[in-house]
Amino acid sequence: MNTKSMPHVVIVGAGFGGLETAQKLAHAPVQITLIDKHNYHLFQPLLYQIAIAGLVPSQIAYPLRTIFRHQKNLTFQMGEVTSIDFAARYVRTNGSVIAYDYLVLAIGGQTNFFGMKAVEENGFQLKSIEDATGTRNHLLRVFEQASREVDPDKRRALLTFVVVGGGPTGVETAGALAELITHVLTKDYPEMDLNEVRVVLIEATDSVMATYPDELQKATMKLLESKGVEIFFNTRLIDYNGQTVTAADGSQIHAYTLIWTAGVRSAQLTDRLGLQQAASGRVRVNPTLQLPQHPEVFVIGDAAYLEDGKGQPLPMLATVAQQEAKVAARNIRNTLKGEGPEPFQYRDPGLLATIGRNAAVARIWGLSFSGFIAWMIWVWLHIYRLIGFRNRLTVLINWAWDYFFYDNQIRLITRE
Ligand SMILES: Cc1cc2nc3c(=O)[nH]c(=O)nc-3n(C[C@H](O)[C@H](O)[C@H](O)COP(=O)(O)OP(=O)(O)OC[C@H]3O[C@@H](n4cnc5c(N)ncnc54)[C@H](O)[C@@H]3O)c2cc1C
């Protein structure tokens, strides 16, 4: 097959949306260039596991050149797209200019600090491998510091861990952090008084897991409390200087660790494209996922803004990105055949979040589960969704080891 004369599809971003689009076009009569600023696909839902020393980065990231080794109609290019000329139909990266017939923008999102510079500079986030390993190093380092700190106030501040945001990422991080401390670190630091350690979850509204049904919100709270997590509702963070967390009502918590999980927005590039943006900077698209003025351009995943049947924006989730990718790929194929594009409709596969060992909440096929059954579903689903047999196997072995021996093995401080 001579792919050179075929229409050129450029896909920017090899996250959940970009990867799925590329795979769905494997047998289409197109040549594909996939561009990403990283040379790997990252399974973001398990980033917090790196932060809590449960997994290593290579277990949740997979090299793109390996994934696409056998896809003959695809070329991968590592590079950051800096601008796009929609009229002339080319993208500019930090090293090249690439023309396209069809463009799929799947550039994802980034953490939204809502303009709070101090929180961005002094807090931690979980969006990249660097963020997660940086958080792990910091968590382990403050334990080392606390173990030799004689001032009780400073020691308590070192041992206070604040997680901001009561959504699934915040809940998962707080639950896992509490377990790392109670099950693992207390064994490493027998001299430490466990009563001095606090894991605090701060939430601006009056509920955790706001999008989950009532019974699962209650189950989540119970599970978090059983793991020793303190939950502060109706508490809006306004400042963090690296040692003191300040809320809008003036209350303060002294803590050397703050992990921010309370906001996501579209990737930075979306602000520079001159396109119509909606909430969280996401690019407005037609129901067919095309740009209104440029039907040859598709935007999918976290970067795209589309509403569901009830007028609510589709959530920034991997499941949305993957389903949109299928429709974008199908619409490109339809267009090539001279057929019209089809609209996107999200099929909600359910909700799932873990709160640590034997503890998760799930809503599947209209049924709510919590506790061990939900946790087993979570474990198997996440192992199934990882890319690569080796990753699946090593993650399974890691988790089994941690489960039976109460031991997070990756407790290495690797960066100053
Ligand atoms: C900690 C965490 C936990 C999560 N947990 C869940 C969960 O449990 N379930 C769930 O469904 N979703 C979860 N999500 C959300 C999910 O990861 C995102 O919704 C999903 O990744 C969006 O897919 P995407 O393809 O739009 O973008 P991404 O997967 O973010 O991929 C975007 C890609 O674009 C690349 N890129 C960005 N800008 C450029 C540029 N200018 N040039 C070149 N490349 C670029 C990036 O390197 C990246 O590879 C979680 C997210 C985080 C951060």
Side-chain angles (χ1 to χ4, degrees), residues 209 211-217 219-220 346 348-354 360-371 373-375 377-378 381:
M209 307 283 238
T211 54
Y212 283 50
D214 265 6
E215 66 273 18
L216 290 185
Q217 292 185 18
T220 302
Y346 182 51
D348 187 351
L351 302 161
L352 188 58
T354 178
V361 289
R363 177 95 181 154
I364 299 166
W365 304 304
L367 299 171
S368 295
F369 306 88
S370 62
I373 295 177
W375 182 73
I377 297 172
W378 183 91
L381 199 75

Side-chain angles (χ1 to χ4, degrees), residues 153-394:
D153 289 337
K154 185 166 179 195
R155 195 172 56 243
R156 272 193 291 274
L158 284 164
L159 293 175
T160 300
F161 303 89
V162 174
V163 178
V164 188
T169 304
V171 162
E172 292 191 341
T173 306
L177 188 54
E179 284 195 341
L180 171 73
I181 293 163
T182 50
H183 291 164
V184 185
L185 292 182
T186 44
K187 286 192 285 187
D188 282 0
Y189 301 89
E191 69 276 24
M192 211 98 84
D193 177 4
L194 188 61
N195 293 320
E196 289 190 327
V197 182
R198 290 173 77 193
V199 177
V200 179
L201 180 65
I202 291 183
E203 166 54 43
T205 69
D206 59 3
S207 59
V208 285
M209 307 283 238
T211 54
Y212 283 50
D214 265 6
E215 66 273 18
L216 290 185
Q217 292 185 18
K218 288 196 186 106
T220 302
M221 270 171 55
K222 243 171 101 181
L223 289 167
L224 282 171
E225 281 161 5
S226 72
K227 304 210 178 272
V229 177
E230 297 170 49
I231 312 174
F232 288 23
F233 289 111
N234 300 310
T235 304
R236 192 166 57 81
L237 174 87
I238 54 164
D239 190 34
Y240 178 57
N241 64 7
Q243 293 173 15
T244 305
V245 178
T246 307
D249 62 5
S251 60
Q252 293 191 322
I253 302 171
H254 297 296
Y256 277 64
T257 308
L258 177 138
I259 303 175
W260 173 264
T261 70
V264 195
R265 52 144 302 154
S266 64
Q268 210 186 15
L269 179 63
T270 53
D271 296 343
R272 299 201 299 267
L273 298 177
L275 298 171
Q276 209 195 345
Q277 289 171 275
S280 306
R282 298 166 87 186
V283 174
R284 278 188 191 278
V285 288
N286 287 341
T288 52
L289 304 169
Q290 292 159 297
L291 286 183
Q293 311 300 330
H294 295 281
E296 71 284 1
V297 180
F298 294 80
V299 188
I300 60 172
D302 284 2
Y305 181 90
L306 193 63
E307 290 171 359
D308 64 15
K310 295 179 195 138
Q312 292 301 311
L314 289 172
M316 291 162 109
L317 287 175
T319 46
V320 174
Q322 285 173 319
Q323 289 183 30
E324 288 182 342
K326 288 190 181 90
V327 171
R330 204 175 307 140
N331 282 346
I332 291 174
R333 271 197 255 109
N334 285 353
T335 315
L336 291 171
K337 287 190 274 181
E339 294 169 9
E342 63 179 64
F344 175 73
Q345 255 187 334
Y346 182 51
R347 291 178 315 284
D348 187 351
L351 302 161
L352 188 58
T354 178
I355 304 133
R357 190 187 173 78
N358 294 345
V361 289
R363 177 95 181 154
I364 299 166
W365 304 304
L367 299 171
S368 295
F369 306 88
S370 62
F372 183 72
I373 295 177
W375 182 73
M376 283 307 286
I377 297 172
W378 183 91
V379 167
W380 286 110
L381 199 75
H382 280 73
I383 285 174
Y384 170 75
R385 288 176 67 201
L386 278 173
I387 291 183
F389 177 71
R390 198 194 60 180
N391 280 1
R392 288 185 189 135
L393 188 67
T394 58

Side-chain angles (χ1 to χ4, degrees), residues 13-282:
F16 285 99
L19 195 80
E20 186 81 20
T21 311
Q23 289 172 334
K24 286 286 172 281
L25 289 174
H27 304 292
V30 292
Q31 48 157 327
I32 303 167
T33 301
L34 175 64
I35 307 170
D36 199 293
K37 57 185 173 185
H38 299 115
N39 75 336
Y40 53 80
H41 168 78
L42 177 63
F43 191 84
Q44 294 176 37
L46 289 179
L47 272 173
Y48 80 96
Q49 285 272 331
I50 295 179
I52 57 114
L55 295 175
V56 289
S58 61
Q59 289 172 321
I60 65 161
Y62 210 77
L64 288 160
R65 287 187 185 274
T66 311
I67 296 173
F68 291 104
R69 195 179 278 164
H70 302 295
Q71 188 165 328
K72 295 282 179 264
N73 69 344
L74 183 141
T75 310
F76 171 68
Q77 198 176 111
M78 183 173 158
E80 177 159 4
V81 171
T82 51
S83 63
I84 301 171
D85 188 327
F86 293 106
R89 298 190 184 182
Y90 65 79
V91 302
R92 193 181 285 278
T93 73
N94 44 357
S96 57
V97 172
I98 304 167
Y100 62 79
D101 298 302
Y102 295 94
L103 176 66
V104 180
L105 279 179
I107 51 180
Q110 64 187 46
T111 308
N112 194 351
F113 290 93
F114 303 100
M116 291 186 286
K117 279 272 165 250
V119 179
E120 184 170 354
E121 276 160 24
N122 299 311
F124 289 85
Q125 56 177 311
L126 293 174
K127 193 63 191 162
S128 66
I129 286 180
E130 291 77 10
D131 296 334
T133 50
T135 307
R136 180 193 71 199
N137 286 330
H138 171 81
L139 293 175
L140 299 174
R141 204 175 298 127
V142 288
F143 260 86
E144 285 298 334
Q145 257 178 286
S147 70
R148 53 175 194 266
E149 181 56 57
V150 286
D151 174 352
D153 289 337
K154 185 166 179 195
R155 195 172 56 243
R156 272 193 291 274
L158 284 164
L159 293 175
T160 300
F161 303 89
V162 174
V163 178
V164 188
T169 304
V171 162
E172 292 191 341
T173 306
L177 188 54
E179 284 195 341
L180 171 73
I181 293 163
T182 50
H183 291 164
V184 185
L185 292 182
T186 44
K187 286 192 285 187
D188 282 0
Y189 301 89
E191 69 276 24
M192 211 98 84
D193 177 4
L194 188 61
N195 293 320
E196 289 190 327
V197 182
R198 290 173 77 193
V199 177
V200 179
L201 180 65
I202 291 183
E203 166 54 43
T205 69
D206 59 3
S207 59
V208 285
M209 307 283 238
T211 54
Y212 283 50
D214 265 6
E215 66 273 18
L216 290 185
Q217 292 185 18
K218 288 196 186 106
T220 302
M221 270 171 55
K222 243 171 101 181
L223 289 167
L224 282 171
E225 281 161 5
S226 72
K227 304 210 178 272
V229 177
E230 297 170 49
I231 312 174
F232 288 23
F233 289 111
N234 300 310
T235 304
R236 192 166 57 81
L237 174 87
I238 54 164
D239 190 34
Y240 178 57
N241 64 7
Q243 293 173 15
T244 305
V245 178
T246 307
D249 62 5
S251 60
Q252 293 191 322
I253 302 171
H254 297 296
Y256 277 64
T257 308
L258 177 138
I259 303 175
W260 173 264
T261 70
V264 195
R265 52 144 302 154
S266 64
Q268 210 186 15
L269 179 63
T270 53
D271 296 343
R272 299 201 299 267
L273 298 177
L275 298 171
Q276 209 195 345
Q277 289 171 275
S280 306
R282 298 166 87 186

